[in-house]
Amino acid sequence: MNEDSQDSTTVNSEDSREYLTFTLGDEEYGIDILNVQEIRGYDTVTKIANSPHFIKGVINMRGVIVPIIDMRLKFDLGEVEYNQFTVVIILNITGRVVGMVVDGVSDVIALHQDQIRPAPEFGAVLDTAYIDGLATLEERMVIMVNIERLMNSEEMGLVDQARASAE
Amino acid sequence: MTIDMTRFYQVFFDEASEHLAEMETLLLELDIEAPDPEVLNAIFRAAHSIKGGAGTFGFSDVARVTHILETLLDRVRKHELHPSVEIIDTTLQAGDLLKAQLAAHQQGTEFEDPQIAAVCERLETLAQGDLPAAESVSPLVDPDPRTWWGITFNAGLLEAPDREAGLVAALAELGELEHTPAATTPGERLNWRLHTAAGREAIVEIFDFLCDPSEVEITAMGQAEAAADADEAGFGLFEDAPGAAPSSGDQELDGFGLFDDSPGMEQVAETAARQREELQQGFGFFATAPGAPGADPANAESAPASPPPPSGAAPRRQPGGVRRQPQGESSIRVSVEKVDQLINLVGELVITHAMLAESASGLDPVAQERVLDGLSNLERNSRDLQQAVMSIRMMPISFVFNRFPRVVRDTAAALDKKVSLRLIGEDTELDKGLIERLADPLNHLVRNSIDHGIETAQQRIEQGKPETGEIVLAASHRGGNVVVEVSDDGAGLDRERLLAKAAERGVALPDNPSDKEVWQLIFAPGFSTAKAVTDISGRGVGMDVVRRNIEAMNGRVEIDSEPGQGTRITIRLPLTLAILDGMSVRVCDETFILPLTVIRESIRPQPGQCKTLAGKGNVVHVGEEYLPLVALHQLFGLSVQQVAPEASILVIIESNEGRAALQVDDLLAQHQVVIKSLETNYRKVEGISGATIMGDGRVAMILDVDALVRLSRKTS
């Protein structure tokens, strides 16, 4: 699951990119696969004092301290039990490593730029500011998320804002 | 080629600054009354090495200053000049200039300052100081080291077609060659003339390739052969042709800018040395005044600074004065980044081992003996490895201490005080990162001690103290910490004046402040007790910066002072920035690490020992003090329920915000933990200074007690 995976894409077109899709509640989301470092199960975390409720804590990933965010808590999809099927997507956002708990990982899809339609103002759990657009895939609708913008945003509280604006 | 050279710039800068530091140390150690020839030689070598490197890399301004400096030092080391305070002062100044020049080059600019010319001129004047009139003329005797050599050999040697061309080319490299083309008759003798600085050996060597040297007749023309030979001994390194000198290995090294001494130099006869000296002056020094026979030294002194020799040629022409480094002291330069990476990896290894050991603890010791044996071996090896890797980063504290003889000397001179410096425990090792960051605070403290602490000689005599004040810089290992002390035998801190100043500035103080509390005042920003602001101190921006710097290194500062007896400032530092000695404590279900340095004691409180203060939270009565109670589970929101202090353990911590009692559920164990930053992937969390990975692979937070005390004050 790294940059190399792009080489194996079956789509030849220049401007098509690969996306990892995952589910949150009833909605399906897609993120740029280049931001995904790995996918792993859920481990016990160490809580961080006085952090927002959706930040579950930090884990030790081979010596690197990685914060874990539960997207289901973040977007008020209710408490979901953690079991052996709970999936954590480890993201690499401009060098920072962050883990994201989701309901499940569904697929890797290749999409052409023109397959992604601009998103109308709608009542998704995500603010449209973080949505690049919508894609239709075999009757399913996939919401394309700009994960970099989302993770660096103030509401995630992952980055010191002074630092974020400097970047 | 340029790209290739820039790759070595850093090495040159590193080496040059090492040489400069060494030169400075030696100069300060030098006993003017009875100079040690070894020390004088070492000083000269240091200057010479810098010059060589500077020439090679094309830093002509550096080469120029070092060249002039070297001329002076060379005379001193040959006992032609007696070292004086003035010479040492000027040399130190030149060292400072060189530092500035090197720093500028490192930035890719050039350091230009009228001071350079002034210092150079003084160096030159000093170098001529004792020069008798006769000697100042002597360079004129033989300004040209070249001699005419007659070479006679049998033309048969040149029978092979390209031999003649090769021979002519080889000889022409040595100097100006007058040759006659080979005749067709094999029996004829050929007479060639060569005008060169190279000696007979060089010519013989060339012919060595062709024939038996005895078949070639080489005679010096014009000058007596003996003189020419002396010349050759003195100027072995002046030859331009690589490999032409008898000691061709050294010649080659020279070509690469290493400038090591040729072994033969040690045995150079007195006369040869004399002549070399004169010639050197002829090249660099008196270049502009060759036509001044009989000029008296005064005249020579008033002459304007002579232009230095072309920089590129300068190092080549220098007779080598540097002794080869002893083979034993071999070392390599490695970037700190690589070492840190290594330390991280070893840290991971130790953690992985701890995890393995934990999973293996359930195994049957009889059935799985081999596995368990292997694990214990692995533990021992990985611990050794960790220590070995850590030691790479360790450096003796002398790296910082060594600059202080100079600081003390200059500061004392500026203030017209007599101060001596004693260094203790210079071999104490600590992390390189800490050493670099220790320099500034120590500098401040030492200068403060001289300015405020040590009295003038007059005052000291009146008080019956020795006239010369003493500053002691001491370093030692004490229980996993490095303790650095700066103490003086000066006046000590003035309690009354500090209190008055505190009142004036409106600094809050308890009614009957203890001495310690009063001394801490000097760390307040903008607090200065100096009666007058001087260049050295008194602006009140020193001590708070000192404290902040030390705290940034996880260290702390303490002051002891006795009026009339002196002041002692103690700095406690962890051995390294990467590792922390900590106590793991349990609060609810979480484990936290508390740095050992902050823990005073831990108590199990008796009922009634904890009291509630209206509006000020809880306090604990310990000994004679009432300490604020910091309830971790509340601060971190770990439990909604109040936990009675009587049911838990109180750890008395010493923070910069004062003492406090930290309420925890349990003390678990003492660890050495590897500090990991939370901010790499997350952000700063108040009350937490970092994170670490425990033996079971879980993450534990390291508590920041100063922030905790602040936090608890805010919330209560």
Side-chain angles (χ1 to χ4, degrees):
Chain A
M1 281 294 165
N2 50 24
E3 271 101 321
D4 295 341
S5 57
Q6 207 185 22
D7 299 341
S8 60
T9 175
T10 47
V11 186
N12 300 315
S13 173
E14 285 282 311
D15 49 356
S16 86
R17 303 178 81 161
E18 279 191 296
Y19 295 88
L20 179 77
T21 64
F22 57 89
T23 52
L24 273 182
D26 297 331
E27 290 165 0
E28 193 168 359
Y29 293 87
I31 52 172
D32 192 334
I33 206 156
L34 294 183
N35 286 124
V36 179
Q37 186 172 318
E38 63 182 84
I39 295 167
R40 55 189 285 151
Y42 184 78
D43 269 336
T44 40
V45 297
T46 301
K47 293 196 184 79
I48 304 174
N50 302 324
S51 58
H53 70 289
F54 56 85
I55 294 184
K56 296 300 292 180
V58 289
I59 59 161
N60 160 31
M61 201 179 76
R62 293 183 299 274
V64 182
I65 311 265
V66 178
I68 301 293
I69 301 156
D70 193 327
M71 296 303 261
R72 302 169 298 184
L73 294 178
K74 166 72 185 148
F75 299 121
D76 297 322
L77 296 174
E79 288 282 336
V80 189
E81 243 179 79
Y82 290 88
N83 54 31
Q84 70 258 48
F85 302 113
T86 309
V87 171
V88 180
I89 303 174
I90 305 290
L91 302 166
N92 192 324
I93 313 279
T94 54
R96 296 168 78 90
V97 185
V98 178
M100 176 170 80
V101 184
V102 297
D103 281 346
V105 171
S106 26
D107 212 347
V108 176
I109 52 170
L111 285 179
H112 215 265
Q113 273 305 312
D114 54 15
Q115 281 177 281
I116 300 173
R117 303 279 147 74
E121 289 288 332
F122 66 106
V125 293
L126 264 168
D127 190 324
T128 36
Y130 308 121
I131 294 176
D132 276 348
L134 301 174
T136 317
L137 207 79
E138 297 157 11
E139 307 295 297
R140 290 178 296 157
M141 183 190 74
V142 181
I143 305 166
M144 312 310 292
V145 183
N146 187 332
I147 197 74
E148 288 195 20
R149 202 182 299 160
L150 177 65
M151 288 300 170
N152 282 326
S153 70
E154 200 169 341
E155 66 176 295
M156 296 306 282
L158 277 173
V159 191
D160 284 328
Q161 278 315 302
R163 208 166 134 183
S165 53
E167 274 169 5
Chain B
M1 195 60 196
T2 353
I3 300 156
D4 273 345
M5 289 300 260
T6 43
R7 279 177 53 212
F8 300 111
Y9 279 3
Q10 194 49 47
V11 178
F12 165 67
F13 288 133
D14 288 348
E15 282 180 2
S17 52
E18 269 169 32
H19 285 307
L20 278 174
E22 190 193 333
M23 197 166 89
E24 195 175 293
T25 319
L26 293 169
L27 278 168
L28 292 169
E29 275 172 12
L30 190 66
D31 182 358
I32 295 175
E33 302 306 318
D36 181 353
E38 262 312 300
V39 175
L40 291 175
N41 273 328
I43 296 172
F44 174 80
R45 282 200 297 272
H48 183 77
S49 307
I50 299 169
K51 178 172 125 176
T56 312
F57 290 102
F59 300 132
S60 52
D61 53 340
V62 178
R64 196 176 310 152
V65 176
T66 33
H67 172 73
I68 299 170
L69 180 63
E70 191 190 50
T71 314
L72 171 66
L73 293 173
D74 192 35
R75 296 208 63 209
V76 173
R77 83 183 169 125
K78 285 198 222 123
H79 305 291
E80 291 168 9
L81 279 177
H82 198 76
S84 67
V85 178
E86 205 191 349
I87 289 183
I88 290 176
D89 276 342
T90 318
T91 311
L92 285 174
Q93 273 175 19
D96 289 345
L97 283 180
L98 287 172
K99 262 182 226 164
Q101 284 178 330
L102 287 171
H105 278 300
Q106 223 160 351
Q107 307 285 324
T109 58
E110 216 160 284
F111 178 76
E112 280 178 38
D113 197 296
Q115 244 195 310
I116 300 176
V119 170
C120 288
E121 204 166 331
R122 280 190 60 197
L123 286 172
E124 287 179 340
T125 317
L126 284 167
Q128 292 169 23
D130 292 349
L131 212 61
E135 274 186 58
S136 69
V137 180
S138 56
L140 298 172
V141 173
D142 186 9
D144 186 355
R146 297 184 297 175
T147 351
W148 281 104
W149 296 90
I151 309 163
T152 314
F153 58 97
N154 198 316
L157 283 177
L158 302 178
E159 243 175 338
D162 45 357
R163 270 201 182 170
E164 183 179 357
L167 183 63
V168 169
L171 288 174
E173 252 181 70
L174 293 181
E176 201 182 314
L177 178 72
E178 286 175 16
H179 70 284
T180 44
T184 36
T185 42
E188 195 188 336
R189 300 285 287 178
L190 288 175
N191 264 314
W192 286 8
R193 271 154 47 91
L194 181 66
H195 192 204
T196 177
R200 170 193 298 273
E201 282 86 345
I203 303 171
V204 169
E205 208 166 81
I206 290 173
F207 278 92
D208 247 353
F209 293 110
L210 296 175
C211 62
D212 186 342
S214 60
E215 288 176 34
V216 183
E217 211 177 289
I218 300 167
T219 44
M221 296 162 78
Q223 259 182 14
E225 211 163 313
D229 267 348
D231 203 43
E232 137 72 20
F235 300 108
L237 296 175
F238 278 37
E239 286 141 32
D240 276 333
S247 50
S248 59
D250 283 279
Q251 186 84 21
E252 226 168 272
L253 282 174
D254 247 17
F256 289 112
L258 292 172
F259 301 100
D260 282 15
D261 197 5
S262 79
M265 290 309 279
E266 301 299 326
Q267 301 112 40
V268 169
E270 174 61 35
T271 48
R274 174 82 264 140
Q275 204 166 356
R276 175 182 57 174
E277 158 70 23
E278 284 156 5
L279 253 154
Q280 186 193 335
Q281 303 220 331
F283 272 135
F285 216 58
F286 291 104
T288 51
D296 59 33
N299 236 341
E301 268 171 39
S302 61
S306 53
S311 60
R316 294 189 63 111
R317 293 200 183 165
Q318 261 328 293
V322 183
R323 210 154 295 177
R324 213 174 295 255
Q325 289 285 316
Q327 288 292 307
E329 283 177 40
S330 71
S331 63
I332 52 166
R333 286 176 193 278
V334 184
S335 79
V336 177
E337 223 166 273
K338 281 187 185 166
V339 176
D340 283 349
Q341 201 182 355
L342 211 55
I343 290 177
N344 272 338
L345 284 172
V346 173
E348 294 314 312
L349 186 66
V350 171
I351 291 164
T352 314
H353 167 263
M355 275 148 74
L356 269 180
E358 196 156 294
S359 1
S361 61
L363 294 178
D364 179 4
V366 183
Q368 306 291 340
E369 196 191 341
R370 291 188 56 176
V371 174
L372 294 173
D373 272 1
L375 268 176
S376 73
N377 268 338
L378 179 65
E379 174 174 14
R380 203 166 37 243
N381 290 342
S382 50
R383 295 248 173 245
D384 285 354
L385 183 63
Q386 192 179 27
Q387 268 183 2
V389 171
M390 285 292 179
S391 73
I392 300 179
R393 275 197 67 112
M394 297 297 203
M395 282 165 77
I397 204 165
S398 53
F399 275 84
V400 228
F401 275 14
N402 279 350
R403 74 176 62 187
F404 285 104
R406 177 79 192 277
V407 172
V408 170
R409 188 180 188 274
D410 288 358
T411 315
L415 290 165
D416 202 19
K417 290 180 181 178
K418 291 198 171 174
V419 185
S420 68
L421 175 72
R422 192 147 57 97
L423 300 177
I424 299 173
E426 298 141 276
D427 296 335
T428 310
E429 286 196 324
L430 78 162
D431 192 276
K432 183 179 187 292
L434 289 175
I435 286 205
E436 280 159 6
R437 290 160 69 177
L438 197 55
D440 270 354
L442 277 184
N443 202 5
H444 250 114
L445 292 176
V446 168
R447 287 160 68 113
N448 256 329
S449 279
I450 300 172
D451 196 12
H452 304 315
I454 307 276
E455 312 92 331
T456 59
Q458 182 73 32
Q459 282 168 336
R460 291 183 66 90
I461 293 169
E462 279 166 17
Q463 287 167 18
K465 290 192 202 176
E467 186 188 6
T468 306
E470 188 180 53
I471 289 186
V472 181
L473 268 179
S476 59
H477 282 290
R478 226 173 280 169
N481 278 322
V482 175
V483 178
V484 183
E485 285 181 355
V486 181
S487 47
D488 62 64
D489 61 351
L493 292 172
D494 187 336
R495 187 185 157 100
E496 293 312 314
R497 201 152 94 221
L498 282 168
L499 285 175
K501 193 92 182 176
E504 184 190 311
R505 296 184 50 88
V507 180
L509 265 183
D511 276 348
N512 274 315
S514 67
D515 274 356
K516 272 232 150 112
E517 282 169 309
V518 177
W519 305 151
Q520 286 293 325
L521 280 175
I522 66 168
F523 288 122
F527 206 93
S528 172
T529 54
K531 284 172 192 142
V533 172
T534 62
D535 277 352
I536 307 219
S537 54
R539 288 180 211 284
V541 279
M543 293 304 266
D544 63 315
V545 177
V546 167
R547 186 167 79 166
R548 224 173 309 135
N549 285 353
I550 303 283
E551 276 164 12
M553 295 185 258
N554 287 326
R556 38 200 59 240
V557 198
E558 280 164 32
I559 307 180
D560 276 319
S561 184
E562 196 68 48
Q565 299 297 307
T567 308
R568 186 173 69 227
I569 295 172
T570 311
I571 300 170
R572 266 167 213 284
L573 290 172
L575 272 180
T576 143
L577 287 174
I579 288 218
L580 179 96
D581 267 313
M583 170 80 80
S584 55
V585 299
R586 186 178 63 80
V587 183
C588 297
D589 294 329
E590 298 289 322
T591 306
F592 293 97
I593 305 288
L594 200 54
L596 268 192
T597 43
V598 303
I599 301 178
R600 284 299 277 218
E601 56 178 329
S602 55
I603 54 166
R604 195 175 272 282
Q606 301 300 314
Q609 213 173 340
C610 301
K611 300 182 172 65
T612 314
L613 242 71
K616 291 212 171 182
N618 293 324
V619 291
V620 191
H621 190 196
V622 182
E624 296 184 348
E625 283 178 291
Y626 283 96
L627 302 176
L629 183 77
V630 178
L632 264 187
H633 57 273
Q634 276 179 337
L635 275 184
F636 285 168
L638 295 172
S639 115
V640 229
Q641 282 164 330
Q642 281 279 353
V643 183
E646 286 80 11
S648 47
I649 290 175
L650 298 183
V651 183
I652 312 299
I653 52 170
E654 187 121 25
S655 76
N656 291 312
E657 307 284 326
R659 276 194 205 175
L662 198 67
Q663 184 185 349
V664 302
D665 290 341
D666 222 338
L667 301 179
L668 298 175
Q670 198 176 317
H671 307 266
Q672 274 210 333
V673 298
V674 179
I675 302 174
K676 303 245 172 198
S677 164
L678 255 190
E679 285 153 77
T680 323
N681 294 317
Y682 191 54
R683 64 195 161 93
K684 178 123 190 73
V685 179
E686 215 175 348
I688 304 286
S689 64
T692 188
I693 295 164
M694 304 295 288
D696 60 1
R698 292 194 53 175
V699 181
M701 299 294 166
I702 301 169
L703 298 174
D704 176 352
V705 289
D706 294 346
L708 280 178
V709 175
R710 272 200 301 273
L711 207 62
S712 103
R713 207 177 288 159
K714 226 190 294 174
T715 45
S716 63

